[in-house]
PDB file of all heavy atoms in Angstrom:
ATOM      1  N   LYS A 309      18.956  63.074 -57.141  1.00  0.00           N
ATOM      2  CA  LYS A 309      18.294  62.275 -56.105  1.00  0.00           C
ATOM      3  C   LYS A 309      16.831  62.127 -56.469  1.00  0.00           C
ATOM      4  O   LYS A 309      16.157  63.113 -56.772  1.00  0.00           O
ATOM      5  CB  LYS A 309      18.412  62.981 -54.758  1.00  0.00           C
ATOM      6  CG  LYS A 309      19.741  62.733 -54.136  1.00  0.00           C
ATOM      7  CD  LYS A 309      19.534  62.350 -52.699  1.00  0.00           C
ATOM      8  CE  LYS A 309      20.637  61.438 -52.268  1.00  0.00           C
ATOM      9  NZ  LYS A 309      20.861  61.467 -50.853  1.00  0.00           N
ATOM     10  N   GLN A 321       4.924  54.975 -43.762  1.00  0.00           N
ATOM     11  CA  GLN A 321       6.359  54.873 -43.979  1.00  0.00           C
ATOM     12  C   GLN A 321       6.828  56.140 -44.654  1.00  0.00           C
ATOM     13  O   GLN A 321       6.048  56.864 -45.236  1.00  0.00           O
ATOM     14  CB  GLN A 321       6.656  53.683 -44.894  1.00  0.00           C
ATOM     15  CG  GLN A 321       5.969  52.434 -44.450  1.00  0.00           C
ATOM     16  CD  GLN A 321       6.932  51.341 -44.092  1.00  0.00           C
ATOM     17  OE1 GLN A 321       8.059  51.325 -44.522  1.00  0.00           O
ATOM     18  NE2 GLN A 321       6.487  50.416 -43.287  1.00  0.00           N
ATOM     19  N   THR A 325      14.661  57.206 -51.056  1.00  0.00           N
ATOM     20  CA  THR A 325      15.321  57.969 -52.114  1.00  0.00           C
ATOM     21  C   THR A 325      16.395  57.099 -52.745  1.00  0.00           C
ATOM     22  O   THR A 325      16.896  56.170 -52.136  1.00  0.00           O
ATOM     23  CB  THR A 325      15.975  59.244 -51.567  1.00  0.00           C
ATOM     24  OG1 THR A 325      16.860  58.888 -50.523  1.00  0.00           O
ATOM     25  CG2 THR A 325      14.953  60.219 -51.059  1.00  0.00           C
ATOM     26  N   TYR A 368      27.396  48.645 -49.065  1.00  0.00           N
ATOM     27  CA  TYR A 368      27.559  49.076 -50.444  1.00  0.00           C
ATOM     28  C   TYR A 368      26.838  50.393 -50.655  1.00  0.00           C
ATOM     29  O   TYR A 368      25.841  50.668 -50.006  1.00  0.00           O
ATOM     30  CB  TYR A 368      26.948  48.066 -51.402  1.00  0.00           C
ATOM     31  CG  TYR A 368      27.637  46.745 -51.464  1.00  0.00           C
ATOM     32  CD1 TYR A 368      27.176  45.676 -50.730  1.00  0.00           C
ATOM     33  CD2 TYR A 368      28.741  46.577 -52.287  1.00  0.00           C
ATOM     34  CE1 TYR A 368      27.807  44.442 -50.801  1.00  0.00           C
ATOM     35  CE2 TYR A 368      29.365  45.353 -52.364  1.00  0.00           C
ATOM     36  CZ  TYR A 368      28.903  44.282 -51.629  1.00  0.00           C
ATOM     37  OH  TYR A 368      29.513  43.076 -51.713  1.00  0.00           O
ATOM     38  N   ARG A 616     -33.923  55.938 -36.217  1.00  0.00           N
ATOM     39  CA  ARG A 616     -33.619  54.612 -35.682  1.00  0.00           C
ATOM     40  C   ARG A 616     -32.486  53.979 -36.464  1.00  0.00           C
ATOM     41  O   ARG A 616     -31.534  53.445 -35.903  1.00  0.00           O
ATOM     42  CB  ARG A 616     -34.879  53.740 -35.750  1.00  0.00           C
ATOM     43  CG  ARG A 616     -34.684  52.358 -35.140  1.00  0.00           C
ATOM     44  CD  ARG A 616     -36.015  51.676 -34.959  1.00  0.00           C
ATOM     45  NE  ARG A 616     -36.862  52.366 -34.001  1.00  0.00           N
ATOM     46  CZ  ARG A 616     -36.747  52.233 -32.677  1.00  0.00           C
ATOM     47  NH1 ARG A 616     -35.808  51.463 -32.186  1.00  0.00           N
ATOM     48  NH2 ARG A 616     -37.551  52.870 -31.866  1.00  0.00           N
ATOM     49  N   HIS A 620     -28.784  53.006 -35.101  1.00  0.00           N
ATOM     50  CA  HIS A 620     -28.240  51.660 -35.220  1.00  0.00           C
ATOM     51  C   HIS A 620     -26.889  51.695 -35.908  1.00  0.00           C
ATOM     52  O   HIS A 620     -25.922  51.060 -35.482  1.00  0.00           O
ATOM     53  CB  HIS A 620     -29.211  50.791 -36.004  1.00  0.00           C
ATOM     54  CG  HIS A 620     -28.756  49.377 -36.108  1.00  0.00           C
ATOM     55  ND1 HIS A 620     -28.845  48.503 -35.061  1.00  0.00           N
ATOM     56  CD2 HIS A 620     -28.144  48.710 -37.117  1.00  0.00           C
ATOM     57  CE1 HIS A 620     -28.325  47.349 -35.420  1.00  0.00           C
ATOM     58  NE2 HIS A 620     -27.893  47.447 -36.662  1.00  0.00           N
TER      59      HIS A 620
ATOM     60  N   ASP B  93      17.120  55.203 -46.142  1.00  0.00           N
ATOM     61  CA  ASP B  93      17.000  54.310 -47.291  1.00  0.00           C
ATOM     62  C   ASP B  93      17.578  52.946 -46.947  1.00  0.00           C
ATOM     63  O   ASP B  93      18.494  52.840 -46.138  1.00  0.00           O
ATOM     64  CB  ASP B  93      17.758  54.900 -48.477  1.00  0.00           C
ATOM     65  CG  ASP B  93      17.111  56.179 -48.939  1.00  0.00           C
ATOM     66  OD1 ASP B  93      15.887  56.269 -48.806  1.00  0.00           O
ATOM     67  OD2 ASP B  93      17.823  57.074 -49.395  1.00  0.00           O
ATOM     68  N   PHE B  96      22.541  48.054 -48.832  1.00  0.00           N
ATOM     69  CA  PHE B  96      23.037  46.724 -49.169  1.00  0.00           C
ATOM     70  C   PHE B  96      24.342  46.520 -48.427  1.00  0.00           C
ATOM     71  O   PHE B  96      25.176  47.416 -48.374  1.00  0.00           O
ATOM     72  CB  PHE B  96      23.285  46.607 -50.677  1.00  0.00           C
ATOM     73  CG  PHE B  96      22.039  46.643 -51.497  1.00  0.00           C
ATOM     74  CD1 PHE B  96      22.097  46.723 -52.876  1.00  0.00           C
ATOM     75  CD2 PHE B  96      20.785  46.614 -50.897  1.00  0.00           C
ATOM     76  CE1 PHE B  96      20.944  46.759 -53.632  1.00  0.00           C
ATOM     77  CE2 PHE B  96      19.629  46.639 -51.648  1.00  0.00           C
ATOM     78  CZ  PHE B  96      19.718  46.718 -53.016  1.00  0.00           C
ATOM     79  N   PHE B 258       7.105  47.779 -39.581  1.00  0.00           N
ATOM     80  CA  PHE B 258       7.284  48.936 -38.717  1.00  0.00           C
ATOM     81  C   PHE B 258       6.785  50.183 -39.423  1.00  0.00           C
ATOM     82  O   PHE B 258       6.936  50.325 -40.629  1.00  0.00           O
ATOM     83  CB  PHE B 258       8.752  49.102 -38.347  1.00  0.00           C
ATOM     84  CG  PHE B 258       9.307  47.935 -37.615  1.00  0.00           C
ATOM     85  CD1 PHE B 258      10.165  47.051 -38.234  1.00  0.00           C
ATOM     86  CD2 PHE B 258       8.940  47.701 -36.307  1.00  0.00           C
ATOM     87  CE1 PHE B 258      10.661  45.950 -37.565  1.00  0.00           C
ATOM     88  CE2 PHE B 258       9.443  46.602 -35.629  1.00  0.00           C
ATOM     89  CZ  PHE B 258      10.295  45.728 -36.253  1.00  0.00           C
ATOM     90  N   GLU B 301      24.443  65.568 -45.049  1.00  0.00           N
ATOM     91  CA  GLU B 301      23.936  64.220 -45.142  1.00  0.00           C
ATOM     92  C   GLU B 301      24.868  63.262 -44.417  1.00  0.00           C
ATOM     93  O   GLU B 301      24.432  62.368 -43.707  1.00  0.00           O
ATOM     94  CB  GLU B 301      23.814  63.841 -46.614  1.00  0.00           C
ATOM     95  CG  GLU B 301      22.787  62.781 -46.847  1.00  0.00           C
ATOM     96  CD  GLU B 301      22.512  62.570 -48.315  1.00  0.00           C
ATOM     97  OE1 GLU B 301      22.746  63.485 -49.117  1.00  0.00           O
ATOM     98  OE2 GLU B 301      22.081  61.466 -48.653  1.00  0.00           O
ATOM     99  N   GLU B 580     -30.701  52.888 -29.110  1.00  0.00           N
ATOM    100  CA  GLU B 580     -31.416  53.345 -30.295  1.00  0.00           C
ATOM    101  C   GLU B 580     -32.764  53.955 -29.903  1.00  0.00           C
ATOM    102  O   GLU B 580     -33.134  55.022 -30.389  1.00  0.00           O
ATOM    103  CB  GLU B 580     -31.636  52.183 -31.257  1.00  0.00           C
ATOM    104  CG  GLU B 580     -30.399  51.794 -32.017  1.00  0.00           C
ATOM    105  CD  GLU B 580     -30.561  50.463 -32.723  1.00  0.00           C
ATOM    106  OE1 GLU B 580     -31.696  50.136 -33.126  1.00  0.00           O
ATOM    107  OE2 GLU B 580     -29.552  49.753 -32.832  1.00  0.00           O
TER     108      GLU B 580
END
Side-chain angles (χ1 to χ4, degrees):
Chain A
K309 279 227 150 155
Q321 311 242 338
T325 55
Y368 293 97
R616 183 167 295 279
H620 183 76
Chain B
D93 294 328
F96 292 172
F258 299 106
E301 205 171 336
E580 284 167 31

